[in-house]
Amino acid sequence: MARSVSPAPGSIKGVLRGVITIAGSQPTGTATIAAVNTARTELRLLGWDTNQASAPQGNQDLPSLTLTNATTVTASRVSGGTSAVRVSWELTEFY
């Protein structure tokens, strides 16, 4: 007789990683992902860079991340930056 074993609560169900590009002068960029349970996920900003030739002025290109819904990760810049910004992220879903 087969025995069913459920994963322990809190164990990792899956990990997704990606890079979102916020186009120059746009406030946000998005990535579409496989559906996750938003109540059981952790989203982390791994790093970011810009195509600006000189150092960023203040923090106008500084990004943040949001799990907008079960299938969308959104990267937003702080304020009116005009350079393209690449944002690296990682999402972990738990059982």
Coordinates of all heavy atoms in Angstrom, one line a residue:
M1 N 0.8 -1.2 0.0 CA 0.0 0.0 0.0 C 0.9 1.2 0.0 O 1.8 1.4 0.8 CB -0.9 0.0 1.2 CG -1.8 1.1 1.3 SD -3.1 0.6 2.5 CE -3.3 2.1 3.4
A2 N 0.6 2.2 -0.9 CA 1.4 3.4 -1.0 C 1.1 4.3 0.2 O 0.0 4.4 0.6 CB 1.1 4.1 -2.3
R3 N 2.1 5.0 0.6 CA 2.0 5.9 1.7 C 2.2 7.4 1.2 O 3.2 7.6 0.5 CB 3.0 5.6 2.8 CG 2.8 6.4 4.0 CD 3.7 5.9 5.1 NE 4.5 7.1 5.6 CZ 5.4 7.0 6.5 NH1 5.7 5.8 7.0 NH2 6.0 8.1 6.9
S4 N 1.3 8.3 1.5 CA 1.4 9.6 1.0 C 2.2 10.5 2.1 O 1.8 10.4 3.3 CB 0.1 10.2 0.8 OG 0.2 11.6 0.5
V5 N 3.2 11.2 1.7 CA 4.0 12.0 2.6 C 3.8 13.5 2.2 O 4.1 13.8 1.0 CB 5.5 11.6 2.6 CG1 6.3 12.5 3.5 CG2 5.6 10.2 3.0
S6 N 3.4 14.3 3.0 CA 3.2 15.8 2.7 C 4.5 16.5 3.2 O 5.1 16.1 4.2 CB 2.1 16.4 3.5 OG 0.9 15.8 3.1
P7 N 4.9 17.5 2.4 CA 6.1 18.3 2.8 C 5.8 19.0 4.1 O 4.7 19.4 4.4 CB 6.3 19.3 1.7 CG 5.4 18.9 0.6 CD 4.4 18.0 1.2
A8 N 6.9 19.2 4.9 CA 6.7 19.9 6.2 C 6.4 21.3 5.9 O 6.9 21.9 5.0 CB 8.1 19.8 7.0
P9 N 5.5 21.9 6.8 CA 5.2 23.3 6.6 C 6.5 24.2 6.7 O 7.4 23.9 7.5 CB 4.3 23.6 7.8 CG 3.7 22.3 8.2 CD 4.8 21.3 7.8
G10 N 6.6 25.1 5.8 CA 7.8 26.0 5.9 C 8.9 25.5 5.0 O 9.9 26.2 4.8
S11 N 8.8 24.3 4.4 CA 9.9 23.8 3.5 C 9.7 24.5 2.1 O 8.6 25.0 1.8 CB 9.9 22.3 3.4 OG 8.6 21.8 3.1
I12 N 10.7 24.6 1.4 CA 10.7 25.3 0.1 C 10.0 24.5 -1.0 O 10.3 23.3 -1.2 CB 12.1 25.6 -0.3 CG1 12.8 26.6 0.7 CG2 12.2 26.2 -1.7 CD1 14.2 26.9 0.4
K13 N 9.0 25.2 -1.6 CA 8.3 24.6 -2.7 C 9.0 24.9 -4.0 O 9.0 24.1 -4.9 CB 6.8 25.1 -2.7 CG 6.0 24.6 -3.8 CD 4.5 25.1 -3.6 CE 3.6 24.4 -4.7 NZ 2.2 24.9 -4.5
G14 N 9.5 26.1 -4.1 CA 10.2 26.5 -5.4 C 10.9 27.8 -5.3 O 10.6 28.6 -4.4
V15 N 11.8 28.1 -6.2 CA 12.6 29.3 -6.2 C 12.5 29.8 -7.7 O 12.8 29.1 -8.6 CB 14.0 29.1 -5.8 CG1 14.8 30.4 -5.9 CG2 14.1 28.6 -4.3
L16 N 12.2 31.1 -7.8 CA 12.2 31.7 -9.1 C 13.2 32.9 -9.1 O 13.3 33.6 -8.1 CB 10.8 32.3 -9.5 CG 9.7 31.3 -9.6 CD1 8.4 32.0 -9.7 CD2 9.9 30.3 -10.7
R17 N 13.9 33.1 -10.2 CA 14.9 34.3 -10.2 C 14.7 34.9 -11.6 O 14.3 34.3 -12.6 CB 16.3 33.8 -10.1 CG 16.7 33.3 -8.7 CD 18.1 32.9 -8.7 NE 18.4 32.3 -7.4 CZ 18.4 31.0 -7.2 NH1 18.2 30.2 -8.2 NH2 18.7 30.5 -6.0
G18 N 15.0 36.2 -11.6 CA 14.9 36.9 -12.9 C 15.5 38.3 -12.8 O 16.0 38.8 -11.8
V19 N 15.4 39.0 -13.9 CA 15.9 40.4 -14.1 C 14.8 41.2 -14.7 O 14.2 40.8 -15.8 CB 17.2 40.5 -14.9 CG1 17.6 41.9 -15.1 CG2 18.3 39.7 -14.2
I20 N 14.4 42.3 -14.1 CA 13.4 43.2 -14.7 C 14.1 44.4 -15.2 O 14.9 45.0 -14.4 CB 12.3 43.6 -13.7 CG1 11.6 42.3 -13.2 CG2 11.4 44.6 -14.2 CD1 10.6 42.6 -12.0
T21 N 13.8 44.9 -16.4 CA 14.4 46.2 -16.8 C 13.3 47.2 -16.7 O 12.2 47.1 -17.3 CB 14.9 46.0 -18.3 OG1 15.9 45.1 -18.3 CG2 15.4 47.4 -18.8
I22 N 13.6 48.3 -16.0 CA 12.8 49.5 -16.0 C 13.3 50.4 -17.1 O 14.5 50.9 -17.0 CB 12.8 50.2 -14.7 CG1 12.4 49.3 -13.5 CG2 11.9 51.4 -14.7 CD1 12.6 49.9 -12.2
A23 N 12.6 50.6 -18.2 CA 13.1 51.4 -19.3 C 13.3 52.8 -18.9 O 12.7 53.3 -18.0 CB 12.0 51.3 -20.5
G24 N 14.2 53.5 -19.6 CA 14.5 54.9 -19.3 C 13.3 55.8 -19.2 O 12.4 55.6 -20.0
S25 N 13.2 56.5 -18.2 CA 12.1 57.5 -17.9 C 10.7 56.8 -17.5 O 9.7 57.5 -17.3 CB 11.9 58.5 -18.9 OG 11.3 58.0 -20.1
Q26 N 10.7 55.5 -17.5 CA 9.5 54.8 -17.1 C 9.5 54.5 -15.6 O 10.6 54.3 -15.0 CB 9.3 53.4 -17.8 CG 9.1 53.5 -19.3 CD 7.9 54.2 -19.6 OE1 6.8 53.9 -19.1 NE2 8.0 55.2 -20.5
P27 N 8.4 54.6 -14.9 CA 8.4 54.4 -13.4 C 8.5 52.9 -13.0 O 9.0 52.7 -11.9 CB 7.1 55.0 -13.0 CG 6.2 54.9 -14.2 CD 7.1 55.0 -15.4
T28 N 8.1 52.0 -13.8 CA 8.1 50.6 -13.4 C 8.4 49.7 -14.5 O 8.4 50.0 -15.7 CB 6.7 50.2 -12.9 OG1 5.7 50.3 -14.0 CG2 6.2 51.0 -11.7
G29 N 8.7 48.4 -14.2 CA 8.9 47.3 -15.1 C 8.3 46.1 -14.5 O 8.2 46.0 -13.2
T30 N 7.9 45.1 -15.2 CA 7.3 43.9 -14.7 C 7.9 42.6 -15.2 O 8.4 42.6 -16.3 CB 5.7 43.9 -14.9 OG1 5.5 43.9 -16.3 CG2 5.1 45.1 -14.2
A31 N 7.7 41.5 -14.5 CA 8.0 40.2 -14.9 C 6.8 39.3 -14.7 O 6.2 39.4 -13.6 CB 9.2 39.6 -14.2
T32 N 6.4 38.5 -15.6 CA 5.4 37.5 -15.5 C 6.0 36.2 -15.0 O 7.0 35.7 -15.6 CB 4.6 37.3 -16.8 OG1 4.1 38.6 -17.2 CG2 3.4 36.3 -16.6
I33 N 5.4 35.6 -14.0 CA 5.9 34.4 -13.4 C 4.9 33.3 -13.3 O 3.7 33.6 -13.5 CB 6.5 34.6 -12.0 CG1 5.4 35.2 -11.0 CG2 7.7 35.6 -12.0 CD1 5.8 35.3 -9.6
A34 N 5.3 32.1 -13.1 CA 4.3 31.0 -12.8 C 3.5 31.4 -11.5 O 4.1 32.0 -10.6 CB 5.0 29.7 -12.6
A35 N 2.3 31.0 -11.5 CA 1.4 31.4 -10.3 C 2.0 30.9 -9.0 O 2.5 29.7 -8.9 CB 0.0 30.9 -10.5
V36 N 2.0 31.7 -8.0 CA 2.5 31.3 -6.6 C 1.4 31.7 -5.6 O 0.5 32.5 -5.9 CB 3.8 32.1 -6.3 CG1 4.9 31.6 -7.2 CG2 3.7 33.6 -6.3
N37 N 1.5 31.2 -4.4 CA 0.7 31.5 -3.3 C 1.3 32.8 -2.7 O 2.3 32.7 -2.0 CB 0.6 30.4 -2.3 CG -0.3 30.7 -1.1 OD1 -0.6 31.9 -0.8 ND2 -0.8 29.7 -0.5
T38 N 0.7 33.9 -2.8 CA 1.3 35.2 -2.4 C 1.4 35.2 -0.9 O 2.3 35.9 -0.3 CB 0.5 36.4 -2.8 OG1 -0.9 36.3 -2.3 CG2 0.4 36.5 -4.4
A39 N 0.6 34.5 -0.1 CA 0.7 34.4 1.3 C 1.9 33.6 1.8 O 2.3 33.7 3.0 CB -0.6 33.9 1.9
R40 N 2.5 32.8 0.9 CA 3.6 32.0 1.3 C 4.9 32.2 0.5 O 5.5 31.2 0.1 CB 3.2 30.5 1.2 CG 2.0 30.1 2.1 CD 1.7 28.7 2.0 NE 0.6 28.3 2.8 CZ 0.7 27.8 4.1 NH1 1.9 27.7 4.6 NH2 -0.3 27.5 4.8
T41 N 5.1 33.4 0.2 CA 6.3 33.8 -0.6 C 7.2 34.8 0.1 O 6.7 35.6 0.9 CB 5.9 34.3 -2.0 OG1 5.2 35.5 -1.9 CG2 5.2 33.3 -2.8
E42 N 8.4 34.8 -0.3 CA 9.4 35.8 0.1 C 10.0 36.4 -1.2 O 10.5 35.6 -2.0 CB 10.5 35.2 0.9 CG 10.7 35.6 2.3 CD 11.8 34.9 3.0 OE1 12.9 34.7 2.4 OE2 11.5 34.4 4.1
L43 N 10.1 37.7 -1.4 CA 10.6 38.3 -2.6 C 11.8 39.1 -2.1 O 11.8 39.9 -1.2 CB 9.6 39.2 -3.2 CG 10.0 40.0 -4.5 CD1 10.4 39.0 -5.6 CD2 8.9 40.9 -5.0
R44 N 13.0 38.9 -2.8 CA 14.2 39.6 -2.4 C 14.8 40.3 -3.6 O 14.9 39.8 -4.7 CB 15.3 38.6 -1.9 CG 14.9 38.1 -0.5 CD 15.9 37.0 -0.1 NE 15.7 35.7 -0.9 CZ 14.7 34.9 -0.8 NH1 13.8 35.1 0.0 NH2 14.7 33.8 -1.5
L45 N 15.3 41.5 -3.4 CA 16.1 42.3 -4.4 C 17.5 41.8 -4.2 O 18.1 42.0 -3.2 CB 16.0 43.8 -4.1 CG 16.7 44.6 -5.1 CD1 15.7 45.5 -5.9 CD2 17.7 45.6 -4.3
L46 N 18.1 41.3 -5.3 CA 19.5 40.7 -5.3 C 20.5 41.8 -5.7 O 21.6 41.7 -5.2 CB 19.6 39.5 -6.2 CG 18.7 38.3 -5.9 CD1 18.9 37.2 -6.9 CD2 19.0 37.8 -4.5
G47 N 20.1 42.8 -6.5 CA 21.0 43.8 -6.9 C 20.4 44.6 -8.1 O 19.4 44.2 -8.6
W48 N 21.1 45.7 -8.4 CA 20.6 46.5 -9.6 C 21.7 47.2 -10.2 O 22.7 47.5 -9.5 CB 19.4 47.4 -9.1 CG 19.8 48.5 -8.1 CD1 20.0 48.3 -6.8 CD2 20.1 49.8 -8.4 NE1 20.4 49.5 -6.2 CE2 20.4 50.5 -7.2 CE3 20.1 50.6 -9.6 CZ2 20.7 51.8 -7.1 CZ3 20.4 51.9 -9.5 CH2 20.7 52.5 -8.3
D49 N 21.5 47.6 -11.4 CA 22.5 48.5 -12.1 C 21.8 49.4 -13.1 O 20.6 49.2 -13.4 CB 23.7 47.8 -12.7 CG 23.3 46.9 -13.9 OD1 22.1 46.8 -14.2 OD2 24.2 46.3 -14.5
T50 N 22.5 50.3 -13.6 CA 21.9 51.3 -14.5 C 22.9 51.5 -15.7 O 24.1 51.2 -15.6 CB 21.6 52.6 -13.9 OG1 21.1 53.5 -14.8 CG2 22.9 53.2 -13.2
N51 N 22.3 51.9 -16.8 CA 23.2 52.2 -18.0 C 23.7 53.6 -18.0 O 24.3 54.1 -19.0 CB 22.4 51.9 -19.3 CG 21.2 52.9 -19.5 OD1 20.9 53.7 -18.7 ND2 20.6 52.7 -20.7
Q52 N 23.5 54.3 -16.9 CA 24.0 55.7 -16.8 C 25.5 55.7 -16.8 O 26.2 55.0 -16.1 CB 23.4 56.3 -15.5 CG 23.6 57.8 -15.4 CD 22.8 58.3 -14.2 OE1 21.9 57.7 -13.7 NE2 23.2 59.5 -13.7
A53 N 26.1 56.6 -17.7 CA 27.5 56.6 -17.8 C 28.2 57.1 -16.5 O 29.3 56.7 -16.2 CB 27.9 57.6 -19.0
S54 N 27.6 58.0 -15.8 CA 28.2 58.5 -14.6 C 27.4 57.9 -13.4 O 26.4 57.3 -13.6 CB 28.2 60.0 -14.5 OG 26.8 60.5 -14.6
A55 N 27.9 58.2 -12.2 CA 27.2 57.7 -11.0 C 25.8 58.2 -10.9 O 25.6 59.4 -11.3 CB 28.0 58.1 -9.8
P56 N 24.8 57.4 -10.4 CA 23.5 57.9 -10.3 C 23.4 59.2 -9.4 O 24.2 59.3 -8.5 CB 22.7 56.8 -9.6 CG 23.5 55.6 -9.9 CD 25.0 56.1 -10.0
Q57 N 22.5 60.1 -9.7 CA 22.3 61.3 -9.0 C 21.3 61.0 -7.8 O 20.2 60.7 -8.1 CB 21.8 62.5 -9.8 CG 22.8 62.8 -11.0 CD 24.1 63.3 -10.5 OE1 24.2 64.1 -9.6 NE2 25.2 62.8 -11.0
G58 N 21.8 61.1 -6.6 CA 20.9 60.8 -5.5 C 20.4 59.4 -5.6 O 21.2 58.5 -5.9
N59 N 19.2 59.2 -5.3 CA 18.6 57.8 -5.3 C 17.4 57.8 -6.3 O 16.5 57.0 -6.1 CB 18.2 57.3 -3.9 CG 17.2 58.2 -3.3 OD1 16.7 59.2 -3.8 ND2 16.8 57.9 -2.1
Q60 N 17.4 58.6 -7.3 CA 16.3 58.6 -8.2 C 16.1 57.3 -9.0 O 15.0 57.0 -9.5 CB 16.4 59.8 -9.2 CG 17.6 59.8 -10.1 CD 17.7 61.1 -10.9 OE1 17.0 62.0 -10.7 NE2 18.7 61.1 -11.8
D61 N 17.1 56.5 -9.2 CA 17.0 55.2 -9.9 C 16.8 54.1 -8.9 O 16.7 52.9 -9.3 CB 18.2 55.0 -10.8 CG 18.1 55.9 -12.0 OD1 17.0 56.1 -12.5 OD2 19.1 56.3 -12.5
L62 N 16.9 54.3 -7.6 CA 16.9 53.2 -6.6 C 15.6 52.4 -6.7 O 14.5 53.0 -6.6 CB 17.0 53.9 -5.2 CG 17.1 52.9 -4.0 CD1 18.4 52.1 -4.1 CD2 17.0 53.6 -2.7
P63 N 15.7 51.1 -7.0 CA 14.5 50.3 -7.2 C 13.9 49.7 -5.9 O 14.6 49.5 -5.0 CB 14.9 49.3 -8.2 CG 16.4 49.0 -7.8 CD 16.9 50.4 -7.3
S64 N 12.6 49.3 -6.0 CA 12.0 48.5 -5.0 C 11.2 47.4 -5.8 O 11.0 47.6 -7.0 CB 11.1 49.3 -4.1 OG 10.0 49.9 -4.9
L65 N 10.9 46.4 -5.0 CA 10.1 45.2 -5.7 C 8.8 45.0 -4.9 O 8.8 45.1 -3.7 CB 11.0 44.0 -5.6 CG 12.2 43.9 -6.5 CD1 13.0 42.6 -6.1 CD2 11.8 43.8 -7.9
T66 N 7.8 44.5 -5.7 CA 6.5 44.2 -5.1 C 6.0 42.9 -5.9 O 6.1 42.9 -7.1 CB 5.5 45.3 -5.3 OG1 6.0 46.5 -4.8 CG2 4.2 45.0 -4.7
L67 N 5.5 42.0 -5.1 CA 4.7 40.9 -5.7 C 3.3 41.4 -5.9 O 2.5 41.5 -5.0 CB 4.8 39.7 -4.8 CG 4.1 38.4 -5.3 CD1 4.7 38.0 -6.7 CD2 4.2 37.3 -4.3
T68 N 3.0 41.9 -7.1 CA 1.8 42.6 -7.4 C 0.6 41.7 -7.3 O -0.5 42.1 -6.8 CB 1.8 43.2 -8.8 OG1 3.1 43.9 -8.9 CG2 0.7 44.1 -9.1
N69 N 0.7 40.5 -7.8 CA -0.3 39.4 -7.7 C 0.4 38.1 -7.8 O 1.6 38.0 -7.9 CB -1.4 39.7 -8.7 CG -0.9 39.7 -10.1 OD1 -0.1 38.9 -10.5 ND2 -1.3 40.7 -10.9
A70 N -0.4 37.0 -8.0 CA 0.2 35.7 -8.0 C 1.1 35.4 -9.2 O 1.8 34.5 -9.2 CB -1.0 34.6 -8.0
T71 N 1.0 36.3 -10.2 CA 1.8 36.0 -11.5 C 2.6 37.2 -11.9 O 3.2 37.2 -13.0 CB 0.9 35.6 -12.6 OG1 -0.1 36.7 -12.9 CG2 0.1 34.3 -12.3
T72 N 2.7 38.3 -11.1 CA 3.5 39.5 -11.5 C 4.4 40.0 -10.4 O 3.9 40.3 -9.3 CB 2.5 40.6 -11.9 OG1 1.6 40.1 -12.9 CG2 3.2 41.8 -12.5
V73 N 5.7 40.2 -10.8 CA 6.6 40.9 -9.9 C 6.8 42.3 -10.6 O 7.1 42.4 -11.8 CB 8.0 40.2 -9.9 CG1 9.0 40.9 -9.0 CG2 7.8 38.8 -9.3
T74 N 6.7 43.3 -9.8 CA 6.9 44.7 -10.3 C 8.1 45.4 -9.6 O 8.2 45.3 -8.4 CB 5.6 45.6 -10.0 OG1 4.5 44.9 -10.7 CG2 5.8 47.0 -10.5
A75 N 9.0 46.0 -10.5 CA 10.1 46.8 -10.0 C 9.7 48.2 -10.2 O 9.2 48.6 -11.3 CB 11.4 46.4 -10.7
S76 N 9.9 49.1 -9.2 CA 9.6 50.5 -9.3 C 10.8 51.3 -9.0 O 11.6 50.9 -8.1 CB 8.5 50.9 -8.4 OG 7.3 50.1 -8.6
R77 N 11.0 52.4 -9.6 CA 12.1 53.3 -9.2 C 11.5 54.4 -8.3 O 10.3 54.7 -8.3 CB 12.8 54.0 -10.4 CG 12.0 55.0 -11.2 CD 12.8 55.7 -12.2 NE 12.8 54.9 -13.5 CZ 13.9 54.7 -14.2 NH1 15.0 55.2 -13.9 NH2 13.8 54.1 -15.3
V78 N 12.4 54.9 -7.4 CA 12.0 55.9 -6.4 C 11.4 57.1 -7.0 O 10.3 57.6 -6.6 CB 13.2 56.3 -5.5 CG1 12.9 57.4 -4.6 CG2 13.7 55.1 -4.7
S79 N 12.0 57.8 -7.9 CA 11.5 59.0 -8.5 C 11.9 59.1 -10.0 O 12.4 58.2 -10.6 CB 11.9 60.2 -7.7 OG 13.3 60.4 -7.7
G80 N 11.9 60.3 -10.5 CA 12.1 60.6 -11.9 C 13.4 60.3 -12.6 O 13.9 61.1 -13.3
G81 N 14.0 59.1 -12.3 CA 15.2 58.7 -13.1 C 14.9 58.6 -14.6 O 13.8 58.3 -15.0
T82 N 15.9 58.8 -15.4 CA 15.8 58.6 -16.8 C 16.6 57.6 -17.4 O 16.6 57.4 -18.6 CB 16.1 60.0 -17.5 OG1 17.4 60.4 -17.1 CG2 15.1 61.1 -17.0
S83 N 17.4 56.9 -16.6 CA 18.2 55.8 -17.1 C 17.5 54.4 -17.0 O 16.7 54.2 -16.2 CB 19.5 55.7 -16.3 OG 20.3 56.8 -16.3
A84 N 17.8 53.5 -17.9 CA 17.3 52.2 -17.8 C 17.9 51.5 -16.6 O 19.1 51.7 -16.3 CB 17.7 51.3 -19.1
V85 N 17.1 50.8 -15.8 CA 17.6 50.2 -14.6 C 17.3 48.7 -14.7 O 16.2 48.3 -15.0 CB 16.9 50.8 -13.3 CG1 17.4 50.1 -12.1 CG2 17.2 52.3 -13.3
R86 N 18.3 47.8 -14.4 CA 18.1 46.4 -14.4 C 18.1 45.9 -13.0 O 19.0 46.2 -12.2 CB 19.2 45.7 -15.2 CG 19.1 45.9 -16.7 CD 20.3 45.4 -17.4 NE 21.6 46.0 -17.0 CZ 22.1 47.2 -17.5 NH1 21.4 47.9 -18.4 NH2 23.2 47.7 -17.1
V87 N 17.0 45.2 -12.6 CA 16.8 44.8 -11.2 C 16.8 43.3 -11.1 O 16.0 42.6 -11.8 CB 15.5 45.4 -10.7 CG1 15.3 45.0 -9.2 CG2 15.4 46.9 -10.9
S88 N 17.7 42.7 -10.4 CA 17.8 41.3 -10.2 C 17.0 40.9 -8.9 O 17.1 41.5 -7.9 CB 19.2 40.9 -10.1 OG 19.4 39.5 -9.9
W89 N 16.1 39.8 -9.1 CA 15.3 39.4 -8.0 C 15.2 37.9 -7.8 O 15.6 37.2 -8.7 CB 13.9 40.0 -8.2 CG 13.2 39.5 -9.5 CD1 13.3 40.2 -10.7 CD2 12.5 38.3 -9.7 NE1 12.7 39.4 -11.6 CE2 12.1 38.3 -11.1 CE3 12.1 37.3 -8.9 CZ2 11.4 37.3 -11.6 CZ3 11.3 36.2 -9.5 CH2 11.0 36.3 -10.8
E90 N 14.8 37.5 -6.6 CA 14.6 36.1 -6.3 C 13.3 35.9 -5.5 O 13.1 36.7 -4.5 CB 15.8 35.5 -5.5 CG 15.6 34.1 -5.1 CD 16.9 33.6 -4.3 OE1 17.0 34.0 -3.2 OE2 17.7 32.9 -5.0
L91 N 12.5 35.0 -5.8 CA 11.3 34.7 -5.1 C 11.3 33.3 -4.6 O 11.6 32.4 -5.4 CB 10.1 34.9 -6.0 CG 8.7 34.8 -5.3 CD1 7.7 35.8 -5.8 CD2 8.1 33.4 -5.6
T92 N 11.0 33.1 -3.3 CA 10.9 31.7 -2.8 C 9.5 31.5 -2.3 O 8.9 32.3 -1.6 CB 11.9 31.6 -1.6 OG1 13.2 31.9 -2.0 CG2 11.9 30.1 -1.0
E93 N 8.9 30.4 -2.7 CA 7.6 30.0 -2.3 C 7.7 28.8 -1.3 O 8.5 27.9 -1.6 CB 6.7 29.6 -3.5 CG 5.3 29.2 -3.1 CD 4.4 28.8 -4.3 OE1 5.0 28.6 -5.4 OE2 3.2 28.8 -4.1
F94 N 7.0 28.9 -0.2 CA 7.0 27.8 0.8 C 5.7 27.0 0.8 O 4.7 27.5 0.4 CB 7.3 28.5 2.2 CG 8.6 29.2 2.2 CD1 8.6 30.6 1.9 CD2 9.7 28.6 2.6 CE1 9.8 31.3 2.0 CE2 10.9 29.2 2.7 CZ 11.0 30.6 2.4
Y95 N 5.8 25.8 1.3 CA 4.6 25.0 1.5 C 3.9 25.5 2.7 O 4.4 26.1 3.6 CB 5.0 23.5 1.8 CG 5.3 22.8 0.5 CD1 6.6 22.5 0.2 CD2 4.3 22.4 -0.4 CE1 7.0 21.8 -1.0 CE2 4.7 21.7 -1.6 CZ 6.0 21.4 -1.8 OH 6.3 20.7 -3.0

